Amino acid sequence: RRPMENLVAAQRETIDAMKKATKGEAVAHWFKTDLRCADNTSLALAAQKAQEMNVPLICFYLVSPQDFKAHLRSPVRVDFILRTLKVLRDDLAKLDIPLYVEIVEERARIPARVMELLDTWGCNHLCANLEYEVDELRRETKLLKLLAGKNKSFEVVHDTCVVPPGQLRSGSGNQYAVYTPWYRSWMAHIHANLDLLELHDTPPKNPATARKAFQKLFDCEIPNAPKGKELSAEEKKRFHALWPCGEHEAKARLEKFCEERIGEYSQQRNLPSRNGTSSLSVHLASGTISARTCVRTARDRNKSKKLDGGLDGIKVWMSEVAWRDFYRHVLVRWPHICMNKPYKPDYADIEWSYDTDHFKAWCEGKTGFPIVDAAMRQLNHTGYMHNRPRMVVASFLSKDLLIDWRMGEKYFMEHLVDGDFASNSGGWGFSASVGVDPQPYFRIFNPLRQSERFDPDGDYIRQWVPELKDLDNKQIHDPYNRGAGDKAKKNGYPKPIVEHSECRERALAAYKAAVA
Ligand code: FAD
C-alpha cells in the first residue's frame, strides 16, 4: 500500500480509540509547513474543539535538524522559517495562545516526543495539517497508532492543496498523469464544491486562564539555526531585506499583486527581468499563506466573482497555482518519485554524465551561456530564480550537459528560499523529460533562442552578469559568436563550455537509446 493509503487505514482503525479521548487540559495544534493563523484548516479545527471543550488551545513546532538535512532545506529557507516562527509566536501571544518551539535532534523520535509533550500538558486532542511526502505520511501513521494506544485523538487533515489529493479521477478511474485534463477536472471540482475556497476562521482569544496554566510555554525562545544551516552576517542582511517574512507580509504581497499586476500576468510572467509574477512561492512553501486564499482572492478580483472567467491574467495565474496542487497529487499517487526515481522506469537507463567541471560551471554561473549564468547567479545571490530561467537551466543541465537531473534538483533545494519537494521534483521531471507529463525529450531548449525570446533587451543578463553589461542587445546573448568575444574575455566572462548543436545530438541519442 502507498503511504497515504496506510495513513487512511490507520485513521479508520483508530477511530474507536480516539472517541474515548477525554477532554484533558488543552487541545493542541502542531505547526509544520502551515506557519499562519489565518485560513489554517487544522488550527481552526483545534480552536473550535478547544472552545467546545472550554479548554485552552496550545500550539507547538518541532525543529528537526535531520529533516532540514534530509529535505535539503537551504540555509536561507531555514532562516525564513525561524524568522516566521517569531512572527507567529507574537501573533498567537496576542490571542493568549502559546507557541512552544523545541529542537528534536533525532527525527525518528518525533512521534514519541509529541506523545511526551501532550502528556506533560495534559492534552488528549491533537490536530495537524497533512504533509504528503513519504516520510511525513509514515511519521503521522505511526503517531496516530501511538496516540490511539493511549486514547488520545489525532486529527490530521488536508489543507495545503485547494483540492485534496485523490479526489480527481480520469474516466478510467485513475489519477491523471497529464496536467491539462487534470486541470479541467480540478476547476470543475472546485466549481462543484465552492466550500473548498471558504476561509477558515482565525482562532479566537484563549480563555484568560491559559496564560497562568501554560506560562512556561509563553516564555519559549525561538532557537537559532542548527549547525550547518547558519547564515553569515552579510547573508542575513541580504536575505532579510529580500525576503520579509510572516503571514502579514504574504497577505500584503498577494493583495498588491492582485491589485496592480495580475491583469498583466499572462503577458509578463515569462519575462524574468520584469516584476510580473507574484513572488509568493516562498510563502506558499512555508505556509504563511494558503493556496486556497490565493485562488479565492484572485477570483474575487473578477467583478463577476467567476472562477474561470474574467481577466485572462487571473485565469492564467490560477492555472499556475494549480500546478502546485498537481505535483502534490502526483506525489501521493506515485510516491516512488519521492525516492529520486523517474516517473517512467525506462528513463532510469539514460547514461548521464558526471563531469564535475561542467557541473561546477553550471552551479557558479560560468558556463559561457549568458542566460544560464544570469539565472544561476540570481539563484545563488537571492535564493530565488524566475520560472522561465528555472526551465532553461534545468534543460541546459540535463540535456546540453547531460548531467544527472538529480544533481540539479538537489542543488536547487540546497539554495532555493522556496524549495518545495513536490514542485521542485515536478519542475525537474518536466524539464529533464523524466517526470509526469514532461516536455518530450526531443524538444530541447536552445538557450540562445530562449534568451532572445524572453530577455530581448538583455536586461536580465545585464542585471546578473555585469561582465556583459556594456554589450549591445544582440551581442549580449552570445558574445563570443557575435563579435564581442574580446570585450567579454577582457571582463573575465568565460567562453561557452559546450556547443549547443553537438550537445543536442548527444542528448537525443542518449535519450533514444534508453527509451527505444
Ligand atoms: P507565480 O508565477 O506568481 O505563481 C504563483 C504560485 O503558483 C507560485 O508561487 C507557486 O506556488 C505556484 N507555481 C507556479 N508555477 C508553478 C510550477 N511550474 N510548478 C509548481 N508550482 C507552481 N516552485 C516552488 O514553489 N518550489 C520549488 O522548489 C520549485 N522548483 C522548481 C524547479 C524547476 C526546475 C522548475 C522549472 C520550476 C520550479 N518551481 C518551484 C515552480 C516555479 O518556478 C515557481 O513556483 C515560481 O517561479 C515561483 O515564483 P512566483 O511565486 O512569482 O510564481
Side-chain angles (χ1 to χ4, degrees):
R1 273 198 307 218
R2 296 182 187 94
M4 187 69 201
E5 289 161 357
N6 280 332
L7 179 93
V8 172
Q11 280 176 321
R12 249 194 323 265
E13 285 155 22
T14 52
I15 209 155
D16 287 337
M18 289 209 284
K19 277 186 195 149
K20 292 187 193 143
T22 55
K23 173 173 151 177
E25 305 296 320
V27 172
H29 164 72
W30 177 12
F31 277 109
K32 291 179 281 178
T33 38
D34 55 340
L35 303 180
R36 64 184 183 277
C37 294
D39 199 19
N40 181 325
T41 313
S42 162
L43 184 65
L45 177 68
Q48 193 194 343
K49 274 173 168 263
Q51 266 201 317
E52 283 165 10
M53 293 180 201
N54 198 22
V55 293
L57 168 67
I58 59 182
C59 298
F60 67 97
Y61 180 93
L62 301 179
V63 176
S64 165
Q66 284 188 341
D67 273 330
F68 282 163
K69 210 169 158 193
H71 292 296
L72 307 169
R73 294 267 182 267
S74 64
V76 57
R77 177 136 161 67
V78 170
D79 175 74
F80 187 86
I81 292 169
L82 296 176
R83 281 192 287 132
T84 300
L85 285 170
K86 288 188 186 150
V87 177
L88 187 59
R89 178 196 57 189
D90 295 349
D91 285 345
L92 287 165
K94 287 181 201 145
L95 301 170
D96 287 334
I97 301 168
L99 173 65
Y100 175 73
V101 180
E102 179 181 295
I103 301 180
V104 181
E105 290 295 344
E106 281 177 54
R107 70 204 289 225
R109 247 191 67 68
I110 290 179
R113 185 59 192 145
V114 171
M115 175 69 119
E116 284 166 11
L117 289 172
L118 296 183
D119 277 343
T120 312
W121 300 327
C123 253
N124 290 338
H125 296 270
L126 172 65
C127 300
N129 290 315
L130 264 167
E131 293 177 307
Y132 300 110
E133 289 86 353
V134 169
D135 287 344
E136 280 67 6
L137 287 172
R138 286 187 181 144
R139 182 190 64 198
E140 262 52 311
T141 305
K142 196 170 162 188
L143 184 57
L144 253 174
K145 291 181 182 167
L146 204 62
L147 294 181
K150 289 234 183 170
N151 293 340
K152 289 186 192 288
S153 88
F154 181 23
E155 289 199 52
V156 58
V157 292
H158 294 288
D159 174 73
T160 184
C161 293
V162 182
V163 175
Q167 300 281 311
L168 309 179
R169 307 254 167 210
S170 68
S172 57
N174 293 321
Q175 149 93 34
Y176 294 93
V178 178
Y179 174 78
T180 306
W182 174 91
Y183 176 66
R184 267 193 258 114
S185 166
W186 182 84
M187 203 32 112
H189 188 83
I190 301 177
H191 267 296
N193 301 276
L194 282 173
D195 55 320
L196 286 172
L197 295 183
E198 264 171 32
L199 176 75
H200 293 281
D201 292 336
T202 300
K205 225 171 182 266
N206 251 341
T209 48
R211 284 236 167 225
K212 224 171 153 199
F214 295 101
Q215 188 54 53
K216 269 196 182 154
L217 305 192
F218 282 97
D219 296 338
C220 154
E221 289 293 321
I222 308 298
N224 292 327
K227 211 166 160 273
K229 301 287 176 187
E230 306 96 335
L231 293 178
S232 68
E234 185 279 319
E235 285 171 327
K236 271 190 190 162
K237 203 169 154 210
R238 173 161 31 110
F239 290 133
H240 293 192
L242 280 166
W243 304 113
C245 66
E247 66 180 282
H248 310 291
E249 167 65 25
K251 190 164 177 265
R253 211 173 257 231
L254 172 66
E255 275 169 8
K256 196 166 172 1
F257 172 70
C258 287
E259 188 70 31
E260 295 173 4
R261 289 178 287 130
I262 197 167
E264 301 292 304
Y265 180 75
S266 39
Q267 294 90 333
Q268 301 284 329
R269 72 189 185 98
N270 269 313
L271 306 173
S273 66
R274 306 279 170 83
N275 185 19
T277 66
S278 69
S279 303
L280 277 167
S281 49
V282 60
H283 291 285
L284 282 159
S286 311
T288 38
I289 200 154
S290 70
R292 199 169 36 252
T293 291
C294 288
V295 171
R296 187 183 52 249
T297 311
R299 176 202 60 184
D300 291 350
R301 291 297 303 165
N302 272 329
K303 284 203 181 74
S304 62
K305 300 268 165 25
K306 271 182 84 180
L307 202 56
D308 56 355
L311 279 177
D312 200 34
I314 296 180
K315 276 189 279 183
V316 176
W317 193 66
M318 277 188 201
S319 72
E320 291 301 316
V321 176
W323 273 103
R324 181 179 170 276
D325 265 25
F326 177 66
Y327 286 135
R328 278 167 169 68
H329 288 206
V330 163
L331 183 60
V332 168
R333 174 61 183 80
W334 293 287
H336 68 276
I337 296 176
C338 218
M339 322 289 187
N340 271 334
K341 297 208 171 91
Y343 169 62
K344 288 186 186 153
D346 284 355
Y347 287 76
D349 294 335
I350 295 171
E351 272 201 43
W352 299 108
S353 154
Y354 294 91
D355 185 317
T356 48
D357 289 342
H358 279 178
F359 185 60
K360 188 165 180 281
W362 180 83
C363 294
E364 292 177 355
K366 291 182 180 165
T367 63
F369 288 79
I371 189 75
V372 172
D373 295 341
M376 293 308 293
R377 294 182 197 189
Q378 179 185 27
L379 172 63
N380 294 335
H381 189 79
T382 66
Y384 177 84
M385 191 193 292
H386 185 280
N387 183 60
R388 171 58 48 182
R390 281 189 213 212
M391 292 194 281
V392 172
V393 303
S395 172
F396 185 80
L397 185 82
S398 56
K399 308 263 175 74
D400 285 73
L401 301 183
L402 206 59
I403 287 182
D404 192 335
W405 53 283
R406 283 162 284 225
M407 289 170 67
E409 184 192 11
K410 180 166 179 281
Y411 188 83
F412 263 36
M413 285 305 277
E414 286 168 342
H415 290 81
L416 280 171
V417 69
D418 63 14
D420 168 84
F421 181 80
S423 300
N424 192 45
S425 156
W428 276 93
F430 174 85
S431 305
S433 304
V434 297
V436 176
D437 195 12
Q439 168 108 304
Y441 76 81
F442 44 82
R443 278 190 53 203
I444 296 181
F445 274 179
N446 180 329
L448 180 57
R449 299 281 161 275
Q450 290 286 315
S451 187
E452 288 176 324
R453 186 161 167 214
F454 297 110
D455 187 28
D457 299 332
D459 293 338
Y460 181 63
I461 297 174
R462 268 187 205 96
Q463 186 182 356
W464 295 107
V465 189
E467 302 97 297
L468 306 180
K469 72 177 187 323
D470 296 328
L471 304 196
D472 69 32
N473 292 357
K474 267 195 148 334
Q475 292 172 330
I476 196 159
H477 300 286
D478 190 11
Y480 283 94
N481 293 310
R482 291 187 177 175
D486 287 347
K487 266 195 201 164
K489 194 172 171 203
K490 194 165 147 243
N491 292 338
Y493 186 70
K495 279 190 176 164
I497 55 172
V498 288
E499 213 276 305
H500 173 69
S501 53
E502 281 169 17
C503 292
R504 189 175 178 281
E505 294 311 313
R506 182 175 71 146
L508 285 175
Y511 274 78
K512 228 184 251 169
V515 300

